[in-house]
Structures are given as C-alpha cells and as structure tokens.
Amino acid sequence: MSRDATKLFYQPVIAFFGAVSVVIMIYVLWLTLHNISLLRPGAEQFIGLENYLRLLLDTRGLNALWRTVLFTTLATMVELVLGLAIALLLDREFHGKKIARAIMLAPIVMTPIVVGLTWRFMFDPSSGMANYLLSLINLGPVDWLGNPSVAIFSVMIADVWQWTPFVVLLTMASLESLPGDPQNAARVDGAREWQVLWHITLPALKRALMVVALIRAIDSVKTFDIFYIMTRGGPALSTETLNLYGYISAFTNFDISYALTIAMVLTIFTNVALLLLYNLAFKARARGAV
C-alpha cells in the first residue's frame, strides 16, 4: 500500500518530463528536416534528410565527431584512474587528511570559464607557468595551445584537473560504505595489500566506478565552455568538437537547421553509446548473477 502511494509522487513527475522531452525532440527533428537560416528569414523549405546527408559528407563535421569521441574517451579514462588512485590514497589515515580532502574539492566549485582562463594563462608560451616549470628541468618551451598536435591534450589537462576531484569524491563515498570484514578476513589469512585491493576492494567498487564513468562521459560529451575559452576550436580546427562546430554553424554561419542537425546526431550518438555501456556494465552483470 505504501509503495502504491509513493508512486503517486514520482510517476507524474517522470511522465511530465518524459512528455516534454518527447515533444521537444519531435520539434527539433522537424526543424532539422527544413532549411532554416537567419540570413533568409521566412524562406524556410522542407528538404527532408539533406542536412543529415550533408553532415555525413562533411569532413569538418566528421573530424569534430572524432575529436569529441577522443576527448570523451581519454578524459573519462584518465579521470577515473587518477580519481581512484587518489581516493585510495586519501582513504588511509594520515595527518592533514581533512585539509587534503578540502583542497581536493576546490576545482569542482570553480566555473568552467574561470578554469579555462586560468589554464590559458598557465599555458601561455612566453609567460605561462607550464613552460617555466619545464625550463627548470632544461626542457624547451611548448606551444601548448598553438600546436595542433598538443592543443587538445592541453584542454584535456584542464578538464582532468577540474573533474578528477568529482571522481575522488564519489569513489571515497563508495569506499567508506564498503564493509570492512572481507578485507580484514583476507589480511588475517595472509593476503597482501595489493591482493586485497585487486580481489576484494576493486570488484566491490566496480558498480560505483561504472556509474561515475557514465556521469563523466556524459559531461565530457557536453563540454563546450573550456574549449571556447581556451582555443575557440583552434589552431587549425584541432580542438573543434561537435558541440563547438554546432555553435559556429548556428551563431557564426546562422545555419540554424544544420546546427540542430549536429545537435541531434550528437544526442543520438551519445544516447546509443551510453545505453550500450549501461547494458554492458549492469545488465550483463545481472544476468551473470542470475
């Protein structure tokens, strides 16, 4: 009886937001089937799937999609591994543990614009701190944001710096919720710390780490601010992601329908990829447990 009463609270909310999402999705899909440009107001025409075919043959768009996949994959993996390592380190008892935790959370509260400007100054080729630190070990200066081969990794460093603490925060919460009896029993039986970590702690954290990876992958796909602030897609379009390309199409070229097509394709691609990852992570495990 109580469960039925509880459904009355959340089911209408889910139904409302689901209906709104479906209506917006249908409307955006309808707009992508037209030729809408702010340079030609009132001259919209129904063109069917031409925008999608145009994106399929657009080398710039396909390259932007590849950079989006590259940035999302690498940033998520680095943040997950680095965040797990830091969380395991902070899970131990040492002096200044509370201070270290507080400092670790500082990047999360900073806005992406502030983070982008900060790292843009740090990566300045002539007066930035990054090249100064390299000079201390007799390494030559690096054009962090001006070299097409390096720029996207420079932006990735800024993103990793800001969002690794988020992974640390959620991983530490999962660590503190784990029962200590299996680990203590393994130590009593003579298992070493790395064996406890590999065979007990990490398998227990697998589900939580998958959730963190999903959250960070979604956020990485949507990353726009830091790219816009640090590089604006340059140099030579080497850091132009699909989000940034859609923005340029809409507000520089004023091609609204094509920009919406880019957004729609990115949305579909992201949802399909995340659903596959979700099924791989959770549904397969559930079938194995059964």
Side-chain angles (χ1 to χ4, degrees), residues 68 84 89 106 159 176 194 215 221 264-265 278:
T68 303
L84 175 61
L89 179 63
D159 185 80
E176 293 178 354
W194 71 267
I215 296 174
V221 169
M264 179 63 71
V265 169
Y278 176 83

Side-chain angles (χ1 to χ4, degrees), residues 37-106:
S37 174
L38 295 180
L39 299 177
R40 301 184 304 274
E44 297 84 2
Q45 294 180 349
F46 182 83
I47 58 175
L49 299 177
E50 286 188 19
N51 283 322
Y52 294 93
L53 295 176
R54 174 184 171 187
L55 180 59
L56 185 62
L57 301 176
D58 187 355
T59 303
R60 181 175 176 179
L62 295 177
N63 289 334
L65 176 61
W66 159 245
R67 293 186 202 99
T68 303
V69 174
L70 176 66
F71 176 81
T72 301
T73 304
L74 291 183
T76 302
M77 291 178 58
V78 172
E79 289 166 8
L80 199 64
V81 173
L82 189 59
L84 175 61
I86 296 174
L88 292 173
L89 179 63
L90 293 179
D91 192 53
R92 302 175 180 274
E93 293 297 330
F94 59 90
H95 293 291
K97 180 178 179 179
K98 294 183 179 179
I99 298 177
R101 286 186 175 185
I103 295 175
M104 180 62 60
L105 299 179

Side-chain angles (χ1 to χ4, degrees), residues 8-20:
L8 297 178
F9 288 96
Y10 68 84
Q11 284 187 344
V13 176
I14 294 176
F16 172 76
F17 283 106
V20 171

